[in-house]
Amino acid sequence: MRTLRLMTVSAPLNCNAPLHGKRILLLVGGSIAAYKSPEIVRLLRAEGAELRCVLSAAASRFVTPLTLQALSGEAPRQDLFAAEEEAAMDHIRLARWPDALLYAPISANGLAKLALGLADDLGSTVALASRAPRYLAPAMNTAMWEHPATQRHVAQLRTDGAYFIDPEQGILACGENGAGRLAEPSRIVEHLRLGLGPQDWRGRQVLVSAGPTWEAIDPVRALTNRASGRQGFALAQAAAERGARVVLVAGPCALPTPLGVQRHDVVSAQEMLATILRILEGGRYDLFLANAAVADHRPTTSHAHKRRKGELGESLAWIANPDIVATVHESPHRPRRIVAFAAETAPDIASAAAKLRAKGADVAIVNDISEGAMGGNENACTLVCGERVTSLPLQDKLCLSRALLRALDPCLR
Ligand code: C5P
């Protein structure tokens, strides 16, 4: 009889956010997209980052210093030669302060100055004097972005080690439709999370399954379940934040792909299994997080054309789907660790864990879905790994995923 050791991990207020406590110096350049900079500040502060801002002369025509002060908690710096600003913190100390320098938006002029190493205002001087990694998010008219001069500067800055958050396609303020729109503030934050995250899973290959499966009766009807995919997508994101190479196999769900994650969309359990086996054949995986709510059964017959009401019959004949975890466990390309999930309405931890172990899982994660976790934004779970039982309280699914991966660390050695 094994003795289980129960540990309860309380939910940290900072959600284990990779940007918590990071110092970010935001340089705002002269582009109409400067109006999005307050949103960038707000999102970064919500992640627990410390912010300081520098506004170029042109940027202060598009966004007021007061707005940035209210959101960042400090008056933005604007002038290299302002005696009071320099007395509070001179530009060299300001350049040494950040963990990362984010230039968003950076204009064609800003790119040219950085590429040449010009230092004729506070932003360019601080950028030249800083050894912090540089994240550059350009925004400009399409012709300016595509101009060989701008592209030459971009190439030079990449060679110098700058990280680009490329502009997106879309309708620009000038009315043109093309490349040059500032990346969405939430996307900019995702880039910083990946860049400044702990990176302690670098070199690991992680496969995640997520979402429901859809077992077609005919082209419009199916056997499926209420899984939204949010937990699996959050797990993929949390693993990518720690530097892992992440492949996500997703059943039907309308969620954006987390940055840095390679996604394969599938529909049925059989298709999910075939895709997972093909991916495993192609590389050595350290970890399989089998989070998908795979339908246990599928209709015996799937009709090519929509059945009429009268043709549906009184009952549905179904057959069992293959068990993905068990098949992966038996496969020659078994990942080093398999983590399986049990969604239960009245969980008995020991028997749920035993059920998952019986199909080959090394670690069992049991979650109580009676509180609306399935399809909702929050979840709680219990992780069973050998004799170690860790209970993680109800929290946002991304925060839970980060905590869960930390609790998994000792089981991956
Ligand atoms: O037995 P139960 O369906 O509760 O097991 C859930 C776990 O097994 C999840 O990790 C799920 O991804 C996996 N599973 C599977 N293949 C199935 C059904 C569930 O791999 N056909």
Side-chain angles (χ1 to χ4, degrees), residues 94-114:
L94 185 62
R96 287 185 189 139
W97 174 81
D99 294 308
L101 211 132
L102 170 63
Y103 207 143
I106 182 164
S107 63
N109 185 52
L111 288 172
K113 288 206 291 188
L114 256 57

Side-chain angles (χ1 to χ4, degrees), residues 209 290-292 294-296 321-325 340-342 344 355-356 359:
S209 72
N291 183 254
V294 184
D296 292 315
N321 267 329
D323 193 286
I324 297 176
V325 165
F341 293 73
E344 310 275 341
K355 173 189 78 173
L356 297 181
K359 47 181 167 175

Side-chain angles (χ1 to χ4, degrees), residues 229-369:
R230 276 193 205 109
Q231 187 64 71
F233 276 59
L235 284 163
Q237 178 175 336
E241 284 173 1
R242 291 181 67 176
R245 197 180 85 78
V246 185
V247 178
L248 171 67
V249 178
C253 43
L255 292 173
T257 311
L259 191 70
V261 169
Q262 191 196 330
R263 171 177 180 172
H264 297 258
D265 285 317
V266 297
V267 177
S268 67
Q270 285 176 297
E271 200 191 333
M272 183 174 275
L273 175 61
T275 305
I276 284 176
L277 292 178
R278 189 167 36 78
I279 291 167
L280 291 176
E281 258 175 48
R284 250 203 71 55
Y285 280 76
D286 300 284
L287 183 61
F288 174 31
L289 298 167
N291 183 254
V294 184
D296 292 315
H297 295 86
R298 67 177 184 277
T300 316
T301 318
S302 169
H303 300 277
H305 298 286
K306 187 184 167 193
R307 303 265 90 191
R308 296 220 178 83
K309 209 198 272 182
E311 295 170 334
L312 280 171
E314 291 296 307
S315 60
L316 178 72
W318 60 24
I319 51 171
N321 267 329
D323 193 286
I324 297 176
V325 165
T327 315
V328 165
H329 171 61
E330 297 295 341
S331 90
H333 305 286
R334 185 194 195 279
R336 221 162 68 74
R337 293 281 184 268
I338 298 178
V339 178
F341 293 73
E344 310 275 341
T345 43
D348 164 3
I349 305 296
S351 56
K355 173 189 78 173
L356 297 181
R357 257 199 307 268
K359 47 181 167 175
D362 305 288
V363 180
I365 294 174
V366 185
N367 69 305
D368 184 348
I369 53 166

Side-chain angles (χ1 to χ4, degrees), residues 40 42 176 190 226 236 255 275 278 301 323 367 381 391:
I40 299 173
R42 194 186 66 77
E176 265 183 52
E190 274 193 81
R226 292 183 57 195
L255 292 173
T275 305
R278 189 167 36 78
T301 318
D323 193 286
N367 69 305
C381 67
S391 175

Side-chain angles (χ1 to χ4, degrees), residues 42-251:
R42 194 186 66 77
L43 292 175
L44 288 171
R45 290 269 292 187
E47 299 263 318
E50 279 183 55
L51 256 295
R52 285 196 170 134
C53 304
V54 172
L55 273 177
S56 75
S60 60
R61 312 284 287 265
F62 294 109
V63 62
T64 72
L66 193 60
T67 310
L68 287 177
Q69 179 174 344
L71 291 165
S72 72
E74 208 174 287
R77 295 276 307 260
Q78 298 184 71
D79 186 355
L80 184 55
F81 300 109
E84 303 137 47
E85 289 185 6
E86 279 291 292
M89 180 181 267
D90 67 69
H91 62 275
I92 297 297
R93 274 206 298 144
L94 185 62
R96 287 185 189 139
W97 174 81
D99 294 308
L101 211 132
L102 170 63
Y103 207 143
I106 182 164
S107 63
N109 185 52
L111 288 172
K113 288 206 291 188
L114 256 57
L116 293 173
L118 296 182
D120 65 350
D121 64 0
L122 182 62
S124 55
T125 304
V126 167
L128 196 62
S130 180
R131 290 195 169 90
R134 297 164 170 199
Y135 292 82
L136 309 180
M140 65 200 74
N141 158 276
T142 309
M144 291 170 89
W145 172 245
E146 289 173 353
H147 196 285
T150 304
Q151 288 306 312
R152 232 177 9 250
H153 294 140
V154 170
Q156 181 61 56
L157 285 163
R158 282 193 211 275
T159 307
D160 294 347
Y163 183 94
F164 273 83
I165 304 170
D166 284 338
E168 294 171 359
Q169 302 271 336
I171 309 257
L172 307 177
C174 58
E176 265 183 52
N177 189 355
R181 220 165 83 159
L182 182 70
E184 280 307 314
S186 57
R187 207 59 175 170
I188 292 175
V189 172
E190 274 193 81
H191 279 275
L192 288 175
R193 280 188 192 142
L194 285 204
L196 302 178
Q199 303 298 301
D200 54 342
W201 278 26
R202 187 164 285 285
R204 281 203 176 140
Q205 300 228 80
V206 178
L207 175 64
V208 183
S209 72
T213 63
W214 174 271
E215 312 297 330
I217 296 169
D218 67 17
V220 295
R221 304 180 181 92
L223 289 177
T224 187
N225 58 60
R226 292 183 57 195
S228 65
R230 276 193 205 109
Q231 187 64 71
F233 276 59
L235 284 163
Q237 178 175 336
E241 284 173 1
R242 291 181 67 176
R245 197 180 85 78
V246 185
V247 178
L248 171 67
V249 178

